[in-house]
Amino acid sequence: MAMTEMRPRATGHPGYGETHPRVPHTARAARSLARTACANWAIPKDTAEVAALLLVELVSNAVRHGQGPVVRLRVDRTAADRVLVAVTDHAPHCVPEMQDPDPLALSGRGLCIVEQMSERWGYELIGPTAQRSAKRVWAEIAVDVSAS
């Protein structure tokens, strides 16, 4: 298991990060990381489950379409009323694109789920412009601070 890195953020909440192999069972670690971070921040359980689902979907996409031996998971509380989940992989040339999945297909709905369940989502390329080395795909969700 990877060591969880905790760093203080401007919001006063620690941010959490882990590096894991780019393999399907990393989804389990992603779910656990999101739930742990949200529990530590006293985020309502239903919101924590959305964060966990989104992070798992991003991991699944990185496993399926990314490159490199590892992915970097991140869970941050970017504001009192926002949680951000992100996955970094080493395939900057393979950016996420929303698909219109075949209704009979067994996969291909991950970004549709991310779109529906997040306030906003996107990606950023990492590294110097001429030599992008990675990409970070992220999703942000709202937190009902009155419920915490």
Side-chain angles (χ1 to χ4, degrees), residues 99-118:
Q99 301 291 322
D100 187 17
D102 178 332
L104 301 177
L106 298 176
S107 64
R109 292 171 182 79
L111 287 179
C112 294
I113 291 169
V114 172
E115 173 80 18
Q116 289 292 318
M117 303 207 64
S118 66

Side-chain angles (χ1 to χ4, degrees), residues 67 88-94 124-136:
Q67 289 182 342
T88 302
D89 68 49
H90 296 281
H93 58 280
C94 184
E124 53 201 353
L125 300 178
I126 300 170
T129 303
Q131 296 177 307
R132 302 291 190 193
S133 60
K135 75 172 172 302
R136 181 181 302 121

Side-chain angles (χ1 to χ4, degrees), residues 76-93:
D76 277 321
R77 191 152 185 196
T78 56
D81 65 345
R82 295 278 181 254
V83 170
L84 179 124
V85 296
V87 175
T88 302
D89 68 49
H90 296 281
H93 58 280

Side-chain angles (χ1 to χ4, degrees), residues 3-31:
M3 184 172 139
T4 302
E5 171 190 340
M6 295 183 299
R7 292 191 174 180
R9 302 295 192 224
T11 61
H13 298 94
Y16 296 85
E18 293 179 352
T19 301
H20 288 274
R22 192 179 58 82
V23 295
H25 74 263
T26 293
R28 173 184 260 170
R31 186 176 297 109

